[in-house]
Amino acid sequence: MTNNYKQALDNKIFEIISKASQELNLESYVIGGFVRDYLLQRDLKKDIDIVTIGSGIDLALKVSELLSNKPKVQVFKNYGTAMIRYKEIDIEFVGARKESYVAHSRNPIVENGTLEDDQNRRDFTINALAFSLNKNNYGDLVDSFQGLTDLQNKIIKTPLNPDITYSDDPLRMMRAIRFSTQLNFIIETESLNAIERNKERINIISGERIVDELNKILETSKPSIGFLHLYKTGLLDIILPELTALNNVEEIEGHTHKNNFYHTLEVVDNICPNTDDVWLRWAALLHDIGKAPTKRFNKKLGWTFHGHEFLGGKMVKKIFQRLHLPLNQKMKFVQKMVIMSSRPIVLAEDIVTDSAVRRLVFDAGEDVDNLMTLCEADITTKNPAKFKKYHSNFDVVRKKITEVEERDHVRNFQPPISGEEIMELFDLKPSRDIGVLKEAVKEAILEGEIPNEYQAAYDFVLKRAEKLGLKKVT
């Protein structure tokens, strides 16, 4: 295999960086994700890392000077780095460095170093590969740790002793698992064992950084690979103990229940071909978390999980708070999906009535399609007849949703007659009677007693008002 990859450097920016390096008498290299993804023939990243033997800030300033549009240089003096945006590509410049760490922090003590020192500090051998931007060997691959071999063998391996690599920066444990999931690579056995040995070190990492890696795992085509690694190394029990609590199958009087942990991972994998929405994937991950604390054994019924959806919704908020996930509409969406996660399943088990479908659409609103996607992913039975029956029933439910929505317009329902109009009709001030009448109209529409139309609602209000002793003002 060739050792020169000039063809990878066909973007004009590399020539300009090379020229700037010559003018400053610096060595410079492209390193990390760009090199890895080029060699894997993956879509190239929208950011490029440049390492130079000298000042990364000086090199960035010189590159900006040579570019016709003179882009702004963002300088991060504390880290000795600088960034330029060039045609939607973020280019980060850093001086080659050596790093050392203290136990309580993932922020290193930094010294100037050689290219090999800089490759040493990289997380994995496949991310330590570099292309030269120097005139005498432009495009040459610099591979100090057999990263190309690991790339070809699909192995995640640290350049140095994995215990040191992971203890120094524990986020690298999450990154190892994330890369393994994204690339379908195997984590080297010693490296995997080192993650288990150093798992407690994850406690010094902020929730935001952990969530960033969790999201990237959830965004892969088969997130279960990552979550199984997180589970087997002990990281998941620290990060999401609510999930690992589901991996507990009990037997009483010959009655067992399914393993809800492995079921959950199957649901997450099932939903991935049908949605790229990471928050719907979060809902799949958390949809059964209320089952561990609500699990009870009843001699007549066997194992029950009464109210697990409602409790699960409450647990979602606590998890989002603890991990510093967004406490906004995204959290409310995940809560809503978890709370409603059994509704379409129950519906699909019975005769699908119009009123039940109207209530489902009314409660789910704009999220009804997402809810159906989640519930279809929740079908993990290995019985072919049951699998076919459930999916067939869900097709009926989806068809009914379309029919009901076209006819009754209950998605994002607004009552055909407003509270203000009711007040005018009966010369009322704000009172309980207005709420009673509005609720009665809603129930009548959802039950199919009246169509979702103004005149029908108006006539219904007049009749119901009589029962409350209210008279229309003439």
Side-chain angles (χ1 to χ4, degrees):
M1 184 175 280
T2 179
N3 193 43
N4 188 276
Y5 295 87
K6 280 183 185 175
Q7 69 274 20
L9 307 176
D10 59 357
N11 191 315
K12 184 183 176 184
I13 191 64
F14 293 119
E15 292 176 30
I16 292 166
I17 295 170
S18 180
K19 184 180 178 185
S21 302
Q22 286 178 57
E23 290 188 17
L24 294 174
N25 198 27
L26 298 173
E27 288 181 34
S28 60
Y29 304 83
V30 194
I31 195 166
F34 176 90
V35 181
R36 179 197 68 231
D37 288 347
Y38 178 83
L39 294 170
L40 286 173
Q41 298 182 318
R42 295 178 83 218
D43 288 340
L44 294 178
K45 291 161 68 70
K46 287 292 183 184
D47 55 273
I48 296 170
D49 293 327
I50 305 294
V51 63
T52 186
I53 316 304
S55 170
I57 294 171
D58 288 351
L59 181 57
L61 292 168
K62 175 57 75 172
V63 169
S64 175
E65 185 185 307
L66 294 177
L67 286 166
S68 57
N69 65 333
K70 305 289 186 288
K72 182 183 176 184
V73 180
Q74 287 182 279
V75 174
F76 308 95
K77 281 190 177 178
N78 289 347
Y79 298 98
T81 65
M83 185 177 287
I84 287 175
R85 189 162 181 79
Y86 172 81
K87 293 185 179 178
E88 297 185 0
I89 300 172
D90 290 324
I91 307 165
E92 185 170 2
F93 298 82
V94 62
R97 59 199 191 188
K98 289 192 285 187
E99 293 180 346
S100 55
Y101 290 78
V102 290
H104 63 278
S105 173
R106 64 180 290 267
N107 295 321
I109 298 163
V110 177
E111 303 172 61
N112 292 335
T114 63
L115 175 64
E116 192 164 336
D117 287 330
D118 201 85
Q119 289 173 305
N120 267 331
R121 73 179 184 83
R122 300 278 161 176
D123 48 11
F124 310 113
T125 58
I126 61 170
N127 292 336
L129 294 161
F131 290 145
S132 171
L133 295 178
N134 305 306
K135 188 176 180 181
N136 61 328
N137 59 353
Y138 190 82
D140 276 6
L141 178 68
V142 183
D143 181 8
S144 304
F145 300 100
Q146 295 186 306
L148 188 58
T149 301
D150 291 336
L151 210 59
Q152 291 163 345
N153 293 331
K154 299 188 173 184
I155 289 174
I156 305 291
K157 183 179 178 183
T158 58
L160 303 176
N161 180 327
D163 282 299
I164 295 171
T165 298
Y166 295 139
S167 180
D168 280 351
D169 184 354
L171 188 65
R172 289 168 176 165
M173 298 187 288
M174 299 286 297
R175 284 170 59 80
I177 291 169
R178 186 252 293 180
F179 278 122
S180 170
T181 313
Q182 280 181 330
L183 302 175
N184 199 22
F185 278 24
I186 293 167
I187 302 174
E188 181 207 30
T189 302
E190 183 52 32
S191 197
L192 197 60
N193 292 338
I195 294 175
E196 187 174 359
R197 287 193 294 269
N198 291 278
K199 62 180 182 289
E200 294 295 336
R201 291 281 291 153
I202 201 67
N203 287 310
I204 71 166
I205 302 296
S206 70
E208 291 90 344
R209 301 302 296 271
I210 289 171
V211 162
D212 188 44
E213 296 300 327
L214 288 176
N215 282 344
K216 287 173 181 174
I217 292 170
L218 279 171
E219 286 165 353
T220 64
S221 59
K222 196 171 182 182
S224 63
I225 296 169
F227 281 96
L228 282 171
H229 277 320
L230 289 170
Y231 173 69
K232 289 173 181 176
T233 57
L235 284 171
L236 194 61
D237 203 34
I238 298 169
I239 297 165
L240 272 173
E242 298 88 349
L243 208 54
T244 58
L246 297 174
N247 191 20
N248 180 23
V249 178
E250 294 182 67
E251 180 176 345
I252 294 179
E253 298 179 8
H255 293 272
T256 60
H257 56 85
K258 70 182 173 187
N259 186 309
N260 287 305
F261 174 71
Y262 287 95
H263 161 75
T264 292
L265 298 189
E266 199 173 343
V267 173
V268 176
D269 284 351
N270 283 350
I271 208 168
C272 288
N274 301 313
T275 181
D276 292 328
D277 183 347
V278 73
W279 302 109
L280 187 51
R281 293 184 181 197
W282 266 104
L285 185 70
L286 302 180
H287 82 283
D288 268 351
I289 52 170
K291 282 191 171 179
T294 58
K295 184 169 68 174
R296 301 288 183 272
F297 181 76
N298 180 295
K299 287 194 175 184
K300 289 184 180 178
L301 302 174
W303 290 101
T304 65
F305 306 91
H306 294 311
H308 76 271
E309 304 96 337
F310 180 70
L311 181 61
K314 286 186 171 182
M315 293 168 72
V316 165
K317 184 173 183 180
K318 291 179 180 176
I319 290 168
F320 270 55
Q321 286 173 329
R322 188 179 72 237
L323 292 178
H324 299 157
L325 280 151
L327 303 176
N328 55 17
Q329 288 306 119
K330 293 180 174 69
M331 180 199 73
K332 288 178 181 175
F333 169 77
V334 175
Q335 277 187 307
K336 183 180 184 180
M337 292 296 100
V338 170
I339 289 168
M340 296 191 70
S341 60
S342 295
R343 287 273 296 275
I345 292 172
V346 173
L347 200 61
E349 288 173 342
D350 299 321
I351 297 169
V352 185
T353 64
D354 282 8
S355 62
V357 171
R358 269 191 294 271
R359 287 190 177 279
L360 178 71
V361 176
F362 174 78
D363 291 337
E366 286 297 330
D367 299 316
V368 69
D369 295 327
N370 284 322
L371 181 61
M372 292 299 295
T373 299
L374 171 60
C375 291
E376 284 176 325
D378 203 4
I379 303 169
T380 60
T381 178
K382 300 300 178 284
N383 181 313
K386 280 187 178 180
F387 186 87
K388 185 177 179 181
K389 180 187 172 188
Y390 267 117
H391 276 283
S392 176
N393 286 359
F394 270 119
D395 286 343
V396 173
V397 174
R398 281 189 181 275
K399 187 178 177 185
K400 279 274 190 184
I401 287 171
T402 302
E403 290 172 1
V404 163
E405 178 57 19
E406 285 176 357
R407 185 177 65 242
D408 301 325
H409 310 292
V410 291
R411 195 183 298 211
N412 293 329
F413 174 85
Q414 293 295 327
I417 187 165
S418 69
E420 289 78 8
E421 191 168 354
I422 292 170
M423 289 165 69
E424 286 180 21
L425 271 173
F426 305 104
D427 192 24
L428 293 172
K429 292 183 178 178
S431 63
R432 179 177 174 275
D433 286 340
I434 297 161
V436 169
L437 288 170
K438 284 181 69 178
E439 183 66 18
V441 170
K442 183 192 87 174
E443 287 296 315
I445 291 170
L446 292 179
E447 285 299 319
E449 293 174 30
I450 61 171
N452 187 9
E453 296 168 0
Y454 175 80
Q455 191 59 49
Y458 180 89
D459 294 341
F460 177 85
V461 164
L462 292 181
K463 288 179 183 177
R464 184 55 61 96
E466 278 184 33
K467 294 180 181 179
L468 295 174
L470 300 174
K471 291 187 178 179
K472 180 186 172 188
V473 177
T474 55

